Amino acid sequence: MDSNAPPCIILNAPQLAHNIGAVARVMANFGLADLRLVNPRDGWPQERAWASASGAEWPLNAARVYESVTEAIADLHLVYATTARPRELQLPVIGPRQAAADLAAEVAQGRAAGLLFGGERAGLETADIALCQAVVTLPIDPRFRSLNLAQAVAINAYEWRMTVESGAPANFREGPPPADAAALQGLYDHFERELDEAGFFHPPEKKPSMVQNLRSALGRARFSDQEVRTFRGVVTALSRGRGRALEKLARRKAEGDA
Amino acid sequence: MDSNAPPCIILNAPQLAHNIGAVARVMANFGLADLRLVNPRDGWPQERAWASASGAEWPLNAARVYESVTEAIADLHLVYATTARPRELQLPVIGPRQAAADLAAEVAQGRAAGLLFGGERAGLETADIALCQAVVTLPIDPRFRSLNLAQAVAINAYEWRMTVESGAPANFREGPPPADAAALQGLYDHFERELDEAGFFHPPEKKPSMVQNLRSALGRARFSDQEVRTFRGVVTALSRGRGRALEKLARRKAEGDA
């Protein structure tokens, strides 16, 4: 992938090969090429996808398949989740136009970016949205929300192309670039492991939503690589401090008992 | 139809019922309801349309069928033709965003407006585009122009809704409102009949393109009803004048011969 490649399209658990082909077609219409599939329901490749792409075969030929959203976005520095449903996460909710401007600014700085879409029925899980930096919502009429997957991709891809054709993107960020999703995931794993050991996730059945809220809150900050390292150092330091405090407590207790 | 109804969608010679259903679905997604079909290839109604609308049945149930674009747009005061191909007509070429702003301004003034789309294969004939006030072109990648019909409707419908949601439309026009397409068609018919009698369309095989150029040139002016009447008066005066001049010439000739 060249360093200024357009955003990739990530389809999480797509059901119908026909829709995957229709997505490839609109990607080609608006100059996108990098298609990533997370657990396509009926496996991959599927002939029907090529049949419904009307000749837009290159996104399908080059499509990569992943077993989790985490893997699919590992090399991306900015990922937005496209979903019609309001969520409890504290993430910015923007429209496709703003999303396209943000993605264009990211790509213009040589960093890979992508748009994540859910499957036809289920949409996106909150856990996957929590890995993204914003939620992209289309201005759908509340009286009829059932938007076809390829249509959702089409409108975002159209806005991408409108932004690119209108010239230089805005929204440049000063300072060091944000880390990629793999680096963030490393931080999340470290952080949550230590919190788990510290008994933070209580009651246990609340852990998934607590994790999601933490991730989306940290994700909004868009840490640089240096900041990720710093934050992991903070987690380590706090954990060791907790360990030492526990040791001291145990020692005191032992001395008191003596 | 209430006086501020959203624009209608006119499909000229659509081929696949599946696509008509997909169009109804995106119309419902973005708050459009008035669907007009000109000569659907396989007749109407067609069960497959309902099957592919995912529950967006009301645009299909209320869809009206016409035998010509002229009839389908007769009550509209502003009609834009959506086509990817550049044409020889002297019409403004705009994007979906500008089109949505123009349509919103028209509708806000209580005048019916619409977007005309061609069939899946053939697109729009120049004669039909010549009945419209502008050409709407999507920013398609020239390397892959094959855009699905429902996707083209989706992007225009999305821009319509973005415009409506953003508040008051711009582009108000001072003075009396433009006439509807039926009034313009009456003018065109009158005008062209007189030109025909005057031997204007020469050579005869050039007549269709000459007619198209005249119509699109006049259409851009967006005559008011009063202006249509005035212009028809002009045509009549010129034709009768020519008749009187010929009579006079004949009379003189007769007198000379006497």
Side-chain angles (χ1 to χ4, degrees):
Chain A
M1 189 165 62
D2 69 276
S3 63
N4 282 345
C8 64
I9 299 294
I10 308 134
L11 304 183
N12 186 30
Q15 298 186 299
L16 302 172
H18 172 267
N19 280 338
I20 299 173
V23 165
R25 182 175 176 183
V26 292
M27 287 175 68
N29 287 143
F30 296 109
L32 304 181
D34 183 353
L35 176 60
R36 304 178 180 197
L37 307 173
V38 181
N39 295 322
R41 186 189 64 184
D42 301 330
W44 191 257
Q46 299 169 65
E47 210 177 308
R48 264 188 74 87
W50 274 259
S52 65
S54 291
E57 298 193 347
W58 58 98
L60 298 174
N61 295 340
R64 280 170 289 178
V65 178
Y66 300 86
E67 289 186 2
S68 69
V69 170
T70 304
E71 288 170 45
I73 68 172
D75 62 315
L76 305 181
H77 293 253
L78 185 72
V79 190
Y80 283 179
T82 306
T83 172
R85 301 185 207 155
R87 300 283 174 167
E88 65 271 27
L89 298 173
Q90 295 297 309
L91 283 176
V93 176
I94 60 177
R97 197 164 298 166
Q98 181 63 49
D102 293 354
L103 292 165
E106 196 70 14
V107 162
Q109 293 170 89
R111 294 194 294 271
L115 273 169
L116 173 66
F117 295 81
E120 289 89 339
R121 287 273 163 77
L124 286 172
E125 303 270 341
T126 308
D128 293 323
I129 301 172
L131 301 172
C132 300
Q133 283 77 46
V135 168
V136 184
T137 299
L138 288 139
I140 299 282
D141 189 329
R143 289 169 298 179
F144 189 73
R145 292 198 165 276
S146 165
L147 183 71
N148 173 266
L149 173 60
Q151 303 284 12
V153 175
I155 287 162
N156 281 282
Y158 156 76
E159 285 286 10
W160 158 259
R161 195 158 177 88
M162 287 290 281
T163 299
V164 168
E165 288 200 340
S166 74
N171 297 343
F172 277 88
R173 163 177 145 151
E174 298 286 334
D180 66 20
L184 284 180
Q185 188 64 48
L187 168 61
Y188 296 159
D189 290 344
H190 181 185
F191 188 44
E192 289 152 17
R193 198 167 53 238
E194 294 295 343
L195 287 173
D196 227 354
E197 286 186 16
F200 175 83
F201 295 118
H202 186 80
E205 64 270 25
K206 287 258 173 103
K207 183 180 172 186
S209 68
M210 293 170 88
V211 162
Q212 285 158 13
N213 291 335
L214 289 169
R215 289 182 178 189
S216 62
L218 287 174
R220 285 202 312 274
R222 305 201 66 202
F223 289 150
S224 67
D225 282 324
Q226 179 55 53
E227 288 165 338
V228 167
R229 283 193 295 271
T230 302
F231 211 81
R232 292 191 67 158
V234 166
V235 172
T236 302
L238 292 176
S239 313
R240 283 197 194 139
R242 176 168 48 78
R244 274 202 292 273
L246 285 173
E247 278 168 31
K248 203 183 277 181
L249 202 69
R251 219 164 22 234
R252 269 192 208 154
K253 200 153 184 274
E255 286 165 6
D257 289 347
Chain B
M1 188 164 61
D2 68 280
S3 62
N4 283 345
C8 65
I9 299 294
I10 308 135
L11 304 183
N12 187 29
Q15 297 186 300
L16 302 172
H18 171 267
N19 280 337
I20 300 173
V23 166
R25 182 175 176 181
V26 292
M27 287 175 66
N29 286 144
F30 297 110
L32 304 181
D34 183 353
L35 175 61
R36 303 178 180 197
L37 307 173
V38 181
N39 295 322
R41 186 189 65 185
D42 301 328
W44 190 259
Q46 298 169 67
E47 209 177 310
R48 264 188 74 86
W50 274 260
S52 64
S54 291
E57 298 192 345
W58 57 99
L60 298 174
N61 294 340
R64 282 169 289 180
V65 178
Y66 301 87
E67 289 186 0
S68 68
V69 170
T70 304
E71 289 170 45
I73 68 171
D75 63 316
L76 305 181
H77 294 253
L78 186 71
V79 190
Y80 284 178
T82 305
T83 171
R85 302 184 207 153
R87 300 281 174 168
E88 66 272 26
L89 296 172
Q90 296 297 310
L91 282 176
V93 177
I94 61 177
R97 196 164 299 167
Q98 181 64 50
D102 294 354
L103 292 164
E106 197 71 13
V107 162
Q109 292 170 89
R111 295 194 294 272
L115 273 169
L116 174 65
F117 296 81
E120 289 89 339
R121 285 274 163 76
L124 287 171
E125 303 270 341
T126 307
D128 292 323
I129 301 173
L131 300 173
C132 300
Q133 283 77 45
V135 168
V136 184
T137 299
L138 288 139
I140 298 281
D141 189 329
R143 290 169 296 180
F144 189 73
R145 291 198 164 276
S146 165
L147 183 70
N148 172 266
L149 174 58
Q151 303 283 12
V153 175
I155 287 162
N156 281 281
Y158 155 77
E159 285 286 9
W160 157 260
R161 194 158 178 88
M162 286 290 281
T163 299
V164 168
E165 289 202 339
S166 74
N171 298 342
F172 278 87
R173 163 177 144 151
E174 297 286 335
D180 66 21
L184 283 180
Q185 189 63 48
L187 168 62
Y188 296 159
D189 291 344
H190 181 184
F191 187 46
E192 289 153 16
R193 197 167 55 239
E194 294 295 345
L195 287 174
D196 227 355
E197 286 185 16
F200 174 83
F201 295 119
H202 186 80
E205 64 270 22
K206 286 259 174 101
K207 183 179 171 186
S209 68
M210 293 170 86
V211 163
Q212 284 159 13
N213 290 337
L214 289 169
R215 289 181 178 190
S216 62
L218 286 174
R220 285 202 310 274
R222 306 202 64 201
F223 289 149
S224 67
D225 282 324
Q226 179 55 53
E227 289 166 337
V228 167
R229 284 191 295 272
T230 302
F231 211 82
R232 292 191 68 157
V234 166
V235 172
T236 302
L238 291 174
S239 317
R240 282 194 195 144
R242 176 168 50 77
R244 277 202 292 271
L246 285 173
E247 278 167 30
K248 204 183 275 180
L249 203 69
R251 217 161 29 230
R252 271 194 204 152
K253 199 152 186 278
E255 284 164 6
D257 289 348

